[in-house]
Amino acid sequence: MTQDILREIIDYSNRADPYPLYEELRKTPVFHNGNGGPYVVSTYYEIQSLLHDPRISSDARNLKAAGDDPLGRSEEEGTTLPPSFLKLDPPDHDRLRRMTNRPFGPPHSPHRVHDMLGELGGLVSGLIEGIATTGNLDRIDLVDQFAYPFPVSVICRLLGVPREDEPRFHVWAETLAASLDPDPDADPAQHGKGAVDARMELGMYLAGLVEERRKDPGDDMLSQLATADGPDGSMTTMEVLSTSALLLIAGHETTVNLITNGMLTLLRHPEVLQRLREDPSLSVPIVEELLRYEPPVQLLPQRSTLSEIEVAGVTLPKGASLWLVLASGNRDPKRFENPDRFDPDRRDIQHLGLGSGIHSCFGAPLARQEAQLALSELARRLENPRLLEDPPPYRKNAVLRGPRHLPVACDAIRP
Amino acid sequence: MTGVGTHDGALERLKRDGRIVVVGASLAGLRAAETMREKGFAGSLTMIGDEPYEPYDRPPLSKQVLLGHAVADRTALPRRRAIDADWHLGVPATGLDMAARRVRLGNGDEVEYDRLLIATGVRARPWPNEEEGALEGVFVLRTRDDAEGLQRALAAGPRRVLVIGAGFTGSEIASACRERGLDVTVAERGAAPLVGALGGVIGEVAAEMHREHGVDLRTGVMVTGLEGGPAGRVRAAHLSDGSTVEADVVVVSLGAQRNTEWLAGSGLGAGPRGIACDAGCRAFDIRGIVTDDIYVAGDVARSPHALFGYQFLSLEHWGNAVAQADTAAHNMLSESSDRRPHLWVPAFWSSQFGVNIKSVGVPPMGTEILFTQGSRAERRFAAVYGYQGRVIAAVTFDQCRWLQFYEQQIETTAPFPPPFSTVDRRPEGNKPVPADFPDPSVPTHGPTITLSGYSPADRKMTFTPARH
């Protein structure tokens, strides 16, 4: 095992296909380069068990040396917002996640995601119409023209951002997303600055919106978060802000990649694309298999140990930084048969694509719905779609991995 | 056809054109049948069930059905695959002739088998006084019909419901009553609800839940008699403390009895605590010798478990029924060297008063308990049970996502008290306290796990040679 394998994983030149590196990594289920770096866990059962291990903390304040690690960068860095529940341990995590879930899912709001279906359909149709009217079907960028704008609009509708403000959200989202990509060539001071400004502006905008919603609440999530007064009490304004910022970032960064990775995979497997065209309900198993095969979140770099614990024969010291390489676990041959094969007919598919345990993906039902709809509609409406670049150019980020652009051509857009 | 899997091709013959009979057409029976077909069993498959319905799911009966959120006849179990079976529904099995390999049915028919799977499960323990139990308004809750009748009675708006026994089912019924806005009294012989399954420390938490939700909980009392009105309808119940509870609906929730009476005299090792089998689900005969052609799965089975001192465990657990059925079906169609042990870690869930309760392992074996995460006062916690210096079980209230970790702790016989720190450890989690299980010789409402290794009842069994 090369000592530099972590560098290689971060190295942009391996972004298009990190899977051979993961295969190498799995030879040492718990890898540590001995230089104070993270302990990297790459096999399915070990990751799965650590995700349920109460001796593992997600609270960045427990991490000793995350600062010099480009992947350990905190999403809230450089702001005064308190950490979102993504980076908290129980009981704070539980309380905030519970309160956020009340307006979002069962048992209190079982219909939220389902009721958005019509709206999602409208957004997807609108974006595909937009592609049709640009007239240039010889070169469509499925990221810029579809996969990027779609989830941002969805989050805006969910939070209750007025339509006229959506364009501003798109700009902030884009800037913040760019800041998540570690760029070794950029001046670090300059690199982060745009993000700090964007976060500040976004925070101020949201604060204004929260004030409005408190006076005149609607059915949207922001109103309900701002006015909630349940068994857990109510959220402070700062908590509302950090929670909605989390929903915005986590809610679309990942979905963009899920949809883009999905289309890329389908274009590489034309027989599956054809089946999906004939049977939209196949989008359900396709998205599940995609979450295994090309998960949008490749690894979780922010966990640490509260105690000395043993994993696969290796003793992790107390306070060690952990990377859980979900995408590698998903291709572990000890867990999945033919793991490198994209197979939507796979029956046994308990993947790690959405995490597991108390931090398992909060937006999973919505993300699934968005991706299923997006992929089945693209499959249905794009006539004879072709990949123009394979591999396409990727985003820099090794954690939230996906193509930056996905240039395709097609013959026509079906009505 | 020898019916015994040996290397002389008998197993292939069995799979091709053997006869397999499954007695018990519920969860375990159905899942076993599906597994057998999946493993390529092409012979004749007979399913025998005493209820007139196709296999249905029971957990919703004490929850959604009682709330009127689901209809009892819509709880049919989803089928994993077609099983192409010959169904005998509404017909109980009444006898077994081991030598002739025949099952006798209530309608006089006999069915021959090469392999038999017994999955007859349990039934609700009835009110001991038959006449009182027959009063209108007195219910038990086990079957679809029970649930439908009780649901109707609750929907009619009784002035008060009395639940006798505060085990999981009794507590779920009380919870459903409160959710429907009905006044409910719960009478429990033990010191607290759930005390037989989870011990006194957790029982105290459960008692708080009852009381906070407006249940009139009476503990340490027995119901000594039910009183009917002139129309043969239940009117009141008399308690051992001299008090009387007036109620229009009485639900008897005193645990379960194993359906083994039909095996009396068959020579199979079957008794009130279930049918003893080896870890591979093969039934023992009354001489303690393992049979080759009779298998057991689900609530009616008692099997030794390596993790729990090889004590015989009977588990009334949904997940156990599924896993054991799968193992039994696999072993029925395998050479002896390919057989698998059933080593499922007991796991159980309940939902009551808005709280999700789950347990793994065998809590009643535990002597001490430690709250490792969360807080008892908030009723959101994970707690582990200790037995002779190791973790033997765990329970969570609204914290089920951690349960997998505790299951691993049990499987790896991790030390107790746990020597590590965890997220959300509170000061109360620093010191174990006695788990406070009642004396096992005093019967309470049915615990969901029975440690039945050395039952005095077993000694009463007499050796009756099989019919020739």
Side-chain angles (χ1 to χ4, degrees):
Chain A
M1 168 83 62
T2 153
Q3 291 300 298
D4 281 336
I5 189 151
L6 302 188
R7 288 281 142 233
E8 288 183 58
I9 289 172
I10 298 169
D11 187 342
Y12 181 70
S13 60
N14 291 312
R15 193 68 70 251
D17 186 12
Y19 295 100
L21 290 170
Y22 296 156
E23 189 181 340
E24 181 69 21
L25 202 53
R26 280 193 301 270
K27 291 178 186 162
T28 314
V30 179
F31 173 76
H32 182 57
N33 66 9
N35 300 327
Y39 286 77
V40 181
V41 186
S42 55
T43 44
Y44 181 92
Y45 291 106
E46 280 69 26
I47 295 171
Q48 165 70 16
S49 112
L50 287 169
L51 286 171
H52 289 262
D53 195 320
R55 296 169 295 182
I56 304 298
S57 168
S58 295
D59 191 329
R61 290 166 291 194
N62 288 318
L63 268 181
K64 273 197 307 197
D68 46 1
D69 162 18
L71 297 179
R73 187 192 302 269
S74 158
E75 93 207 21
E76 288 88 6
E77 198 175 32
T79 74
T80 52
L81 285 183
S84 68
F85 62 76
L86 180 68
K87 294 195 180 156
L88 288 174
D89 289 335
D92 297 331
H93 161 275
D94 293 4
R95 181 179 60 89
L96 287 171
R97 180 162 169 147
R98 221 161 37 226
M99 291 171 82
T100 312
N101 195 57
R102 275 180 89 89
F104 183 68
H108 302 286
S109 311
H111 299 294
R112 170 76 72 186
V113 171
H114 182 263
D115 289 351
M116 285 188 77
L117 244 184
E119 211 164 356
L120 298 185
L123 288 169
V124 167
S125 307
L127 288 166
I128 297 181
E129 292 307 323
I131 295 173
T133 51
T134 60
N136 184 11
L137 302 185
D138 298 333
R139 194 174 179 88
I140 304 163
D141 181 359
L142 279 182
V143 177
D144 285 348
Q145 291 176 264
F146 185 85
Y148 222 105
F150 176 45
V152 182
S153 297
V154 174
I155 283 291
C156 286
R157 306 285 166 90
L158 185 72
L159 287 177
V161 172
R163 302 268 160 107
E164 62 271 21
D165 293 342
E166 273 189 29
R168 302 168 70 190
F169 249 71
H170 282 262
V171 175
W172 289 323
E174 176 91 41
T175 312
L176 291 174
S179 79
L180 292 172
D181 288 339
D183 181 354
D185 303 326
D187 171 3
Q190 284 306 311
H191 180 66
K193 196 171 174 312
V196 173
D197 293 347
R199 185 172 297 278
M200 194 73 100
E201 281 178 46
L202 171 66
M204 279 162 60
Y205 172 82
L206 284 172
L209 210 52
V210 166
E211 269 322 295
E212 278 178 41
R213 293 292 187 268
R214 280 212 172 112
K215 284 184 209 126
D216 182 18
D219 187 39
D220 54 87
M221 270 190 71
L222 203 56
S223 294
Q224 299 192 24
L225 293 180
T227 61
D229 189 16
D232 287 302
S234 40
M235 282 192 191
T236 65
T237 299
M238 292 307 260
E239 285 170 340
V240 176
L241 296 183
S242 79
T243 302
S244 19
L246 170 68
L247 296 180
L248 171 71
I249 304 296
H252 91 273
E253 269 316 300
T254 46
T255 318
V256 175
N257 290 338
L258 180 56
I259 294 172
T260 314
N261 290 336
M263 264 324 270
L264 176 62
T265 304
L266 289 173
L267 289 164
R268 284 169 174 168
H269 295 81
E271 70 293 344
V272 181
L273 185 62
Q274 182 59 36
R275 282 176 62 195
L276 176 60
R277 188 172 293 136
E278 286 155 12
D279 176 11
S281 72
L282 195 65
S283 63
V284 175
I286 284 179
V287 167
E288 233 34 57
E289 173 69 345
L290 277 171
L291 285 164
R292 184 194 70 83
Y293 183 78
E294 286 278 24
V297 179
Q298 296 265 302
L299 64 105
L300 301 175
Q302 279 139 353
R303 310 278 166 121
S304 58
T305 52
L306 293 178
S307 257
E308 184 180 285
I309 65 175
E310 197 194 299
V311 181
V314 177
T315 302
L316 312 182
K318 181 179 172 177
S321 159
L322 278 184
W323 284 11
L324 306 179
V325 193
L326 304 176
S328 170
N330 276 351
R331 301 256 190 137
D332 186 344
K334 286 204 179 104
R335 175 61 184 82
F336 296 104
E337 254 175 69
N338 289 324
D340 292 322
R341 189 179 127 82
F342 175 67
D343 176 11
D345 300 318
R346 200 179 281 279
R347 287 181 67 187
D348 172 26
I349 184 181
Q350 281 211 348
H351 57 72
L352 301 169
L354 299 168
S356 191
I358 65 161
H359 290 283
S360 72
C361 177
F362 177 85
L366 184 59
R368 285 188 165 110
Q369 196 75 262
E370 288 178 59
Q372 288 161 10
L373 196 68
L375 294 177
S376 56
E377 276 300 282
L378 287 173
R380 185 178 73 80
R381 297 194 63 182
L382 303 188
E383 195 153 314
N384 188 24
R386 305 174 293 281
L387 205 49
L388 295 180
E389 281 174 48
D390 193 2
Y394 269 78
R395 296 168 58 183
K396 293 214 172 67
N397 202 300
V399 173
L400 303 172
R401 173 179 160 269
R404 177 62 193 90
H405 299 285
L406 189 63
V408 300
C410 69
D411 294 345
I413 306 259
R414 292 194 194 90
Chain B
M1 157 119 306
T2 67
V4 179
T6 56
H7 292 285
D8 58 6
L11 184 63
E12 280 59 50
R13 282 201 300 283
L14 173 78
K15 286 174 100 164
R16 198 173 55 239
D17 52 22
R19 299 160 302 180
I20 291 182
V21 173
V22 177
V23 184
S26 193
L27 180 62
L30 176 67
R31 292 291 178 248
E34 287 169 341
T35 302
M36 288 188 262
R37 287 299 190 206
E38 199 144 305
K39 294 199 174 289
F41 173 63
S44 86
L45 183 60
T46 305
M47 302 286 294
I48 298 165
D50 61 349
E51 285 188 72
Y53 310 115
E54 293 206 1
Y56 58 86
D57 209 17
R58 293 183 202 277
L61 298 182
S62 56
K63 306 173 183 81
Q64 293 93 322
V65 171
L66 286 196
L67 290 170
H69 295 165
V71 184
D73 61 14
R74 299 264 171 80
T75 66
L77 280 166
R79 301 293 180 88
R80 286 183 188 162
R81 53 164 297 135
I83 57 170
D84 183 25
D86 181 16
W87 292 84
H88 295 257
L89 293 176
V91 188
T94 52
L96 169 67
D97 184 337
M98 287 170 66
R101 289 191 173 140
R102 245 182 237 156
V103 175
R104 277 191 301 282
L105 304 185
N107 60 8
D109 285 353
E110 296 205 342
V111 198
E112 291 186 65
Y113 63 82
D114 299 304
R115 289 270 194 285
L116 173 66
L117 176 67
I118 301 175
T120 42
V122 300
R123 64 182 185 281
R125 177 171 289 129
W127 186 241
N129 181 319
E130 213 172 307
E131 204 174 307
E132 293 175 6
L135 289 169
E136 201 185 322
V138 177
F139 294 88
V140 293
L141 179 52
R142 177 72 196 170
T143 67
R144 213 177 99 170
D145 290 347
D146 295 339
E148 213 163 75
L150 181 55
Q151 198 284 128
R152 267 203 307 274
L154 298 184
R159 279 168 305 159
R160 178 166 293 275
V161 179
L162 169 67
V163 179
I164 306 175
F168 281 109
T169 306
S171 298
E172 286 173 9
I173 294 166
S175 166
C177 288
R178 289 308 299 146
E179 207 169 317
R180 296 189 80 137
L182 299 171
D183 285 337
V184 57
T185 297
V186 172
E188 162 60 41
R189 176 179 185 157
L194 311 184
V195 76
L198 297 174
V201 176
I202 300 298
E204 223 173 88
V205 183
E208 282 166 27
M209 271 162 51
H210 280 249
R211 295 203 164 106
E212 267 176 38
H213 284 84
V215 173
D216 168 30
L217 175 68
R218 320 271 186 99
T219 55
V221 292
M222 278 167 57
V223 174
T224 51
L226 300 177
E227 183 188 318
R233 213 192 143 76
V234 71
R235 190 168 71 183
H238 301 287
L239 273 51
S240 56
D241 61 0
S243 63
T244 299
V245 175
E246 291 188 16
D248 311 322
V249 171
V250 172
V251 193
V252 177
S253 191
L254 295 173
Q257 290 179 319
R258 269 132 190 109
N259 291 319
T260 55
E261 290 82 352
W262 66 284
L263 294 164
S266 67
L268 202 65
R273 296 207 155 175
I275 304 166
C277 61
D278 72 2
C281 308
R282 293 184 298 175
F284 288 124
D285 74 9
I286 198 164
R287 302 163 299 170
I289 298 174
V290 75
T291 59
D292 286 315
D293 48 2
I294 303 178
Y295 288 72
V296 201
D299 293 3
V300 77
R302 308 164 47 200
S303 64
H305 201 305
L307 269 183
F308 306 101
Y310 290 97
Q311 288 205 73
F312 279 74
L313 299 185
S314 316
L315 303 170
E316 292 171 39
H317 294 174
W318 194 96
N320 182 66
V322 172
Q324 201 166 20
D326 193 59
T327 303
H330 169 88
N331 290 346
M332 286 169 85
L333 299 173
S334 298
E335 301 288 359
S336 58
S337 55
D338 295 331
R339 288 185 189 141
R340 300 192 306 234
H342 172 63
L343 290 177
W344 193 73
V345 176
F348 180 81
W349 86 92
S350 173
S351 162
Q352 45 187 281
F353 305 107
V355 175
N356 171 288
I357 303 174
K358 289 196 173 186
S359 81
V360 287
V362 182
M365 275 179 87
T367 51
E368 292 176 287
I369 188 169
L370 177 76
F371 289 82
T372 49
Q373 293 178 258
S375 123
R376 173 160 47 162
E378 291 167 21
R379 291 205 291 266
R380 274 184 240 281
F381 58 80
V384 292
Y385 292 85
Y387 170 71
Q388 295 185 349
R390 59 170 284 212
V391 175
I392 202 82
V395 60
T396 60
F397 274 45
D398 278 343
Q399 289 280 2
C400 65
R401 283 169 190 259
W402 297 112
L403 212 59
Q404 184 186 316
F405 169 77
Y406 293 107
E407 186 175 330
Q408 278 168 8
Q409 294 279 299
I410 297 163
E411 282 173 345
T412 54
T413 64
F416 180 94
F420 46 76
S421 33
T422 56
V423 296
D424 204 11
R425 180 73 65 92
R426 312 287 177 93
E428 63 188 294
N430 292 333
K431 203 170 162 286
V433 294
D436 193 16
F437 279 95
D439 180 347
S441 67
V442 177
T444 64
H445 51 73
T448 57
I449 303 178
T450 310
L451 299 164
S452 57
Y454 312 101
S455 160
D458 295 348
R459 285 189 222 127
K460 287 186 199 146
M461 283 195 296
T462 49
F463 175 59
T464 311
R467 201 162 55 103
H468 287 289

